[in-house]
């Protein structure tokens, strides 16, 4: 390192080279800035208070190096400011400036050493952070002077550092040019890691998402108001520079705008009056998932909400319900009045703030007995978002994560710590016995914070308590593309970082249904009738078919075993007599065949007379002349005791009454002869019926509508019936 004398000699000998490099740096910076920083406006500098706040933020998030690699020493004391600004826009500018300086920390330190500012001047260590952030803004303004307003309050330290940088303007520009030449880059933007560059590019083009406050205005009214302002409704906002908007496919109350319209949108009344609220889409997906799981009177517990706009959105979606939203983790009592005022302006009425941390809330807390759904938005690395500053300000309080964003990733140690915290919160949420569902949502792309946490919590959940265990449920959100369907095959909802949205992971855990609490259809109808929802509909009447089934089961007693055996013996005797007379009966057999053997067994074994299905040409032909073998008594017995349906028996009863003489197989033959001569009867029945042995399958001739006569002589088997 050179002393001050050598530095002056070096500077005087190389004035021309430094000037040439400075002009090259300024010209190339202007060109590269236009190419590589889309959407960024020309900057004229920041107020002094922004530089002070940015320096203090950078002091807490800067990358610390090993002692042998330290180029510049930083103090530990923050800069004093007359008053910390509570303006949200100034805070956002301070974080953006500090984060930008953090990304280029190595390059800015090299420029300060190469320009000989630190060797030639004595600068207090506590001003080093201020020099870094102001140098970044100085080169970003192409080393042009800052414009100051008359009513702006000045800070002495800021004025001192600004004068120093202006005095080294040429040398700083030359050092920047040499750095770009060394890395063969058009600008310092191209020196950044590729992951960081892609992140910045997405942040500059990512569409804006805003949800509609339906308590104040309807979607149709919003569309009409935007149309009056010159905005046209389209299906997609990609690569369109006009004043347009579109409706999100997953959330019906979310609108999408091109990124370059943010400043214009902030100036319209819809955003000023909290009728439209900017917020990342991942939070809208989370609250809509909760809404899909709710009943009318279910309460909600929200954990680590981050942005209060997320709580407000949940309240707006449940405005028509009797649900209450409990929000835990608001440790500062001073924020309560401000939050209450904010919720009043937005029309939120069902929010109750709990000042305990989530892990300190008992699962049996009496205030949370009606909580059915828990929305868990744990602190995560957030490596799925494109704008880290927005993520830190809205969803996270740990500014240390900006260091990970500047490097394009999170260290394994910090990732392990975050995953352990997420696991503890998820397992604690699963201990609330009254809760029936847990919605777990992160903005991370790391499986260690997403799938691994959920699967571990499900695997090691406590089964000792008397509640049903949790299981992984499919997404309750609509899947709008094949890619989303593919990413959700394992029941997790994922959105990868892209040019239209940030990364998101969402998981829904629900309790398994208790079998003892299964509600039948009759119970549901009874409850509906009790509430007056089934006016005019009669319940409790059974159908005619059910009555008939019940009656048939009770009206048909089973035949006793003794009666069954007696009938089988009579059948065997009858078949034996018919076999002896087969020669004579073959001569006068009928020409019509009988029904299949299956039906034959049922007719032979039944004590009732079957109703004829076809006209009977010869009603005196016996019904037992079929292929029935006596060698299978068990099968016939089983068929005999089988009860017939009631409807068939009712139809066949009149047949028994019409033919009383034929239905008496054991009547006295002496009482029959005087009425009809035996000769005529014998003449009519000279031909015996055909009886086929049991080992043949050909059915014998039979007639329907008649019953057998047993224990009678062959001459008195049948009587003529002239009245038919």
């Amino acid at each position: 390192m050179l002393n001050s004398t050598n530095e002056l000699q070096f500077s005087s000998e190389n004035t021309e080279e430094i000037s040439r490099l400075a002009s090259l740096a300024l010209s190339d910076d202007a060109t590269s800035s236009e190419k590589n920083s889309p959407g960024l406006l020309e900057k004229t500098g920041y107020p002094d208070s922004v530089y002070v706040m940015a320096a203090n933020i950078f002091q807490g998030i800067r990358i610390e190096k090993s002692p042998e690699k330290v180029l510049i020493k930083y103090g530990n004391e923050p800069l004093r400011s007359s008053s910390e600004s509570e303006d949200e826009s100034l805070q956002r500018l301070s974080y953006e400036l500090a984060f930008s300086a953090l990304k280029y920390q190595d390059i800015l330190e090299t420029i300060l050493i190469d320009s000989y500012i630190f060797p030639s001047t004595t600068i207090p260590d506590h001003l080093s952070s201020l020099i870094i952030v102001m140098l970044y803004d100085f080169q970003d303004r192409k080393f042009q002077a800052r414009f100051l307003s008359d009513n702006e309050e000045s800070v002495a330290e800021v004025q001192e550092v600004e004068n120093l940088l202006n005095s080294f303007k040429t040398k700083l520009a030359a050092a920047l040019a040499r750095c770009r030449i060394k890395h063969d880059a058009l600008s310092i933007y191209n020196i950044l890691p590729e992951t960081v560059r892609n992140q910045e590019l997405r942040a500059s083009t990512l569409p804006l998402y805003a949800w509609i406050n339906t308590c104040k205005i309807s979607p149709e009214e919003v569309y009409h108001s935007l149309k009056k302002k010159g905005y046209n409704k389209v299906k997609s906002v990609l690569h369109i520079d006009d004043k347009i908007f579109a409706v999100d496919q997953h959330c019906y109350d979310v609108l999408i705008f091109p990124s370059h319209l943010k400043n214009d949108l902030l100036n319209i009344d819809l955003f000023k009056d909290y009728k439209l609220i900017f917020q990342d889409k991942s939070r809208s997906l989370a609250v809509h998932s909760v809404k899909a799981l709710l009943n009318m009177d279910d309460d909600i517990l929200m954990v680590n909400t981050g942005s209060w706009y997320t709580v407000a959105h949940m309240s707006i979606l449940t405005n028509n319900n009797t649900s209450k939203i409990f929000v835990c983790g608001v440790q500062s009592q001073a924020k309560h009045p401000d939050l209450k005022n904010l919720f009043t302006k937005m029309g939120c009425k069902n929010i109750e703030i709990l000042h305990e941390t989530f892990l300190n809330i008992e699962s049996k807390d009496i205030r949370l007995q009606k909580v059915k759904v828990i929305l868990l938005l744990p602190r995560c690395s957030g490596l799925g978002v494109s704008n880290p500053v927005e993520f830190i300000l809205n969803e996270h309080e740990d500014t240390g994560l900006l260091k990970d964003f500047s490097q394009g990733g999170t260290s394994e140690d910090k990732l392990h710590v975050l995953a352990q915290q997420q696991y503890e919160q998820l397992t604690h949420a699963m201990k609330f016995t009254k809760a029936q569902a847990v919605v777990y949502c992160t903005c991370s792309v790391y499986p260690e914070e997403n799938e691994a946490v959920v699967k571990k919590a499900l695997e090691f959940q406590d089964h000792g308590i008397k509640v049903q265990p949790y299981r992984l449920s499919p997404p309750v959100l609509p899947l709008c593309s094949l890619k989303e369907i593919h990413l959700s095959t394992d029941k997790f909802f994922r959105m990868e970082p892209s040019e239209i949205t940030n990364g998101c992971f969402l998981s829904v855990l629900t309790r398994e249904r208790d079998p003892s609490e299964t509600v039948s259809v009759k119970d549901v109808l009874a409850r509906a009738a009790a509430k007056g929802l089934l006016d005019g509909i009669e319940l409790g009447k059974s159908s005619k078919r059910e009555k008939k089934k019940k009656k048939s089961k009770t009206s048909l007693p089973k035949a006793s075993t003794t009666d069954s055996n007696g009938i089988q013996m009579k059948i065997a005797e009858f078949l034996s007599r018919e076999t002896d007379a087969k020669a004579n009966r073959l001569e006068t057999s009928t020409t019509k065949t009988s029904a299949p053997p299956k039906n034959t067994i049922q007719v032979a074994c039944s004590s009732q007379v079957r109703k004829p299905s076809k006209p009977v040409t010869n009603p005196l032909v016996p019904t037992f002349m079929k292929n029935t073998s006596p060698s299978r008594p068990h099968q016939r017995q089983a068929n005999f005791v089988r009860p017939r349906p009631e409807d068939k028996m009712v139809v066949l009863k009149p047949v028994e009454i019409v033919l009383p003489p034929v239905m008496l197989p054991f009547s006295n033959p002496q009482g029959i002869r005087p009425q009809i001569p035996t000769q005529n009867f014998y003449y009519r029945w000279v031909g015996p019926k055909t009886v086929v042995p049991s080992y043949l399958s050909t059915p014998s001739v039979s007639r329907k509508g008649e019953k057998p006569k047993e224990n009678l002589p062959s001459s008195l088997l049948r009587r003529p019936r002239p009245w038919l």
Side-chain angles (χ1 to χ4, degrees):
M1 190 171 292
L2 302 175
N3 55 36
S4 59
T5 304
N6 293 335
E7 292 164 11
L8 294 175
Q9 181 180 1
F10 177 84
S11 299
S12 61
E13 292 177 353
N14 296 276
T15 302
E16 294 182 0
E17 181 183 359
I18 293 175
S19 300
R20 182 177 62 81
L21 292 173
S23 61
L24 176 64
L26 294 176
S27 61
D28 289 348
D29 253 347
T31 305
S32 61
S33 178
E34 295 177 359
K35 292 182 179 180
N36 298 296
S37 301
L40 296 178
L41 302 176
E42 288 291 334
K43 296 183 178 180
T44 59
Y46 299 100
D48 289 6
S49 59
V50 172
Y51 289 120
V52 173
M53 287 190 293
N56 290 334
I57 295 172
F58 177 82
Q59 177 68 26
I61 63 176
R62 63 181 178 84
I63 300 175
E64 298 182 0
K65 300 179 181 180
S66 57
E68 62 274 7
K69 295 182 179 180
V70 171
L71 300 178
I72 298 177
K73 295 182 180 180
Y74 296 88
N76 297 323
E77 298 179 2
L79 294 176
R80 296 181 180 180
S81 179
S82 57
S83 61
E84 289 292 336
S85 175
E86 296 183 357
D87 189 345
E88 184 179 350
S89 61
L90 293 182
Q91 290 182 356
R92 196 175 305 277
L93 291 175
S94 301
Y95 273 93
E96 289 177 351
L97 180 57
F99 180 61
S100 298
L102 179 64
K103 291 185 293 185
Y104 299 100
Q105 178 179 341
D106 289 341
I107 299 174
L108 296 174
E109 289 179 351
T110 302
I111 292 175
L112 288 175
I113 297 299
D114 196 19
S115 62
Y116 305 105
I117 287 184
F118 269 86
S120 62
T121 58
T122 303
I123 303 176
D125 292 344
H126 71 281
L127 293 180
S128 298
S129 297
L130 183 60
I131 292 176
I132 291 292
V133 296
M134 292 188 69
L135 175 59
Y136 172 80
D137 179 59
F138 195 32
Q139 67 84 29
D140 197 35
R141 289 185 281 115
K142 305 176 184 64
F143 300 100
Q144 300 299 317
R146 179 170 62 115
F147 295 97
L148 301 175
S149 60
D150 297 335
N151 57 354
E152 183 178 336
E153 182 181 358
S154 62
V155 179
E157 290 85 356
V158 174
Q159 298 297 325
E160 179 182 355
V161 171
E162 186 173 23
N163 293 333
L164 175 64
L165 295 177
N166 283 328
S167 63
F168 280 82
K169 172 182 177 180
T170 305
K171 295 180 181 179
L172 291 171
L176 175 60
R178 287 192 291 269
C179 181
R180 288 166 45 193
I181 294 172
K182 177 182 178 181
H183 291 87
D184 192 19
L186 294 176
S187 70
I188 60 174
Y189 170 81
N190 299 101
I191 304 176
L192 292 175
E194 184 178 1
T195 55
V196 179
R197 283 188 279 119
N198 293 336
Q199 186 184 70
E200 286 194 357
L201 182 61
R202 286 196 306 108
S204 63
T205 59
L206 189 70
L208 305 172
Y209 292 86
W211 54 271
I212 302 173
N213 186 349
T214 53
C215 283
K216 288 180 169 288
I217 192 171
S218 66
E220 291 74 18
E221 292 174 335
V222 172
Y223 305 156
H224 180 70
S225 178
L226 289 174
K227 187 175 182 180
K228 291 174 61 176
K229 296 291 184 180
Y231 288 84
N232 297 319
K233 185 179 178 182
V234 296
K235 293 184 177 180
S236 176
V237 298
L238 287 179
H239 310 299
I240 300 179
D241 296 331
D242 298 332
K243 297 176 69 174
I244 58 171
F245 71 94
V247 180
D248 185 69
Q249 294 180 332
H250 298 95
C251 308
Y252 61 88
D253 62 342
V254 175
L255 302 183
I256 314 173
F257 299 90
S259 59
H260 68 275
L261 298 175
K262 185 172 184 178
N263 293 332
D264 183 63
L265 291 170
L266 290 174
N267 294 324
I268 65 177
D269 294 336
L270 289 175
F271 286 90
K272 291 180 179 179
D273 299 336
Y274 295 102
K275 296 178 181 178
L276 278 177
I277 296 93
F278 283 124
Q279 193 169 24
D280 186 69
K281 181 180 176 179
S282 62
R283 295 321 187 210
S284 297
L285 293 174
V287 296
H288 273 273
S289 297
V290 174
K291 178 64 170 61
L293 298 168
L294 286 177
N295 293 320
M296 289 295 294
D297 57 346
D298 292 344
D299 290 347
I300 307 162
L301 177 61
M302 300 184 67
V303 184
N304 294 340
T305 55
S307 173
W308 295 110
Y309 291 148
T310 306
V311 181
H313 196 183
M314 189 77 261
S315 175
I316 298 302
L317 289 179
T318 57
N319 183 56
N320 296 328
N321 298 8
T322 58
S323 303
K324 182 179 291 185
I325 301 173
F326 295 93
V327 185
C328 63
V330 185
Q331 300 179 4
S332 176
Q333 296 282 351
K335 290 184 178 180
H336 199 164
D338 297 336
L339 294 175
K340 188 175 181 179
N341 184 33
L342 174 64
F343 294 147
T344 302
K345 290 181 179 179
M346 301 183 70
C348 305
K349 301 178 181 179
N350 57 345
I351 300 174
E352 182 173 338
I353 298 177
L354 308 177
H355 296 284
E356 304 97 319
T357 59
F358 177 58
L359 294 179
N360 291 332
I361 297 178
E362 295 291 336
S363 59
K364 298 182 179 179
D365 195 313
I366 192 173
R367 298 170 297 180
L368 309 178
Q369 293 305 302
K370 292 182 63 179
V371 169
K372 300 300 181 183
V373 183
I374 300 177
L375 174 56
L376 183 58
L377 304 171
R379 293 182 176 180
C380 62
S381 61
L383 261 295
V385 301
S386 60
N387 194 330
V389 173
E390 294 287 344
F391 175 73
I392 294 296
L393 292 177
N394 295 335
E395 312 298 342
H396 214 294
E397 297 180 358
D398 185 9
T399 58
L401 286 179
L402 288 175
K403 186 186 301 184
D404 299 326
F405 280 107
S406 66
Q407 303 299 315
T410 305
S411 63
E412 293 185 2
D413 294 340
K414 182 171 292 187
L415 195 62
H416 177 74
V417 172
L418 290 172
Q420 183 62 27
Q421 294 175 356
Q422 295 155 0
Y423 171 74
E424 292 176 358
Q425 291 183 347
L426 182 55
T427 53
H428 187 63
M430 297 168 67
K431 294 178 181 178
F432 286 75
T433 57
K434 299 295 183 180
Q436 298 299 315
V438 178
V439 178
Y440 179 87
C441 181
T442 72
C443 298
S444 175
V445 296
Y446 291 117
E448 292 85 349
E449 297 181 276
N450 299 333
E451 299 92 334
V453 172
V454 175
K455 292 179 179 179
K456 182 179 178 181
L458 289 174
E459 181 180 359
F460 295 100
Q461 61 180 315
D462 187 7
H463 295 277
I465 54 179
K466 296 181 179 180
V467 292
Q468 292 297 109
Y470 276 98
R471 58 181 175 85
L472 189 62
S473 296
V476 294
L477 297 169
L479 303 178
C480 304
S481 65
L482 293 177
K483 184 176 182 180
E484 291 181 5
I485 296 175
H486 176 71
L487 292 175
S488 304
T489 52
D490 53 357
K491 298 184 180 181
F492 294 116
F493 183 87
R494 300 182 184 88
M495 293 184 65
E496 295 181 346
S498 64
E499 59 182 355
I500 61 174
T501 183
N502 287 323
C504 175
F505 173 85
L506 195 145
S507 176
V508 177
L509 306 180
T510 57
R511 291 196 185 277
E512 298 179 2
R513 185 179 297 275
D514 190 353
S516 62
E517 297 180 358
T518 303
V519 181
S520 63
V521 178
K522 292 183 179 180
D523 295 336
V524 175
L525 294 176
R527 293 179 184 178
K531 294 181 180 180
L533 302 177
L534 300 178
D535 294 340
I537 301 178
E538 297 181 1
L539 300 177
K541 293 184 177 181
S542 59
S543 62
K544 294 182 179 180
R545 180 175 296 179
E546 293 178 354
K547 290 182 177 180
K548 186 178 292 184
K549 289 182 178 179
K550 293 181 180 179
K551 188 176 180 180
S552 63
K553 290 181 180 180
T554 57
S555 61
L556 292 178
K558 294 184 179 180
S560 62
T561 307
T562 306
D563 297 339
S564 175
N565 294 335
I567 293 175
Q568 295 299 324
M569 293 176 62
K570 294 176 182 178
I571 293 173
E573 293 176 0
F574 172 77
L575 294 176
S576 178
R577 290 195 301 270
E578 293 297 325
T579 303
D580 297 337
K582 65 179 180 179
N584 296 330
R585 295 186 182 184
L586 284 173
E587 298 177 0
T588 59
S589 62
T590 60
T591 58
K592 189 175 180 180
T593 60
S594 63
K598 179 179 179 180
N599 296 334
T600 302
I601 297 175
Q602 296 178 356
V603 173
C605 300
S606 175
S607 62
Q608 303 291 339
V609 178
R610 191 184 305 181
K611 182 178 179 180
S613 59
K614 296 182 181 180
V616 181
T617 56
N618 188 359
L620 298 180
V621 177
T623 59
F624 275 94
M625 298 307 299
K626 296 199 178 241
N627 184 20
T628 305
S629 173
S631 62
R632 300 178 64 182
H634 297 288
Q635 181 178 356
R636 291 193 297 271
Q637 181 178 355
N639 291 332
F640 175 77
V641 299
R642 184 177 61 185
R644 289 191 177 196
E646 183 182 1
D647 51 354
K648 293 184 179 180
M649 296 179 63
V650 172
V651 175
L652 295 179
K653 280 183 179 179
V655 179
E656 300 177 4
I657 299 173
V658 172
L659 304 173
V662 180
M663 293 299 295
L664 299 175
F666 302 104
S667 60
N668 188 3
Q670 300 295 331
I672 297 176
R673 287 193 181 95
Q675 299 178 9
I676 300 176
T678 306
Q679 182 178 1
N680 296 335
F681 176 78
Y682 180 78
Y683 179 79
R684 294 283 303 272
W685 288 90
V686 144
K689 293 186 178 181
T690 303
V691 178
V692 182
S694 60
Y695 57 85
L696 296 178
S697 59
T698 304
S700 60
V701 179
S702 64
R703 296 289 181 179
K704 294 182 179 180
E706 298 179 2
K707 284 208 169 183
K709 286 188 176 183
E710 300 180 4
N711 299 330
L712 289 176
S714 59
S715 61
L716 298 177
L717 287 177
R718 292 293 181 270
R719 296 167 57 92
R721 294 181 291 176
W723 58 86
L724 296 178

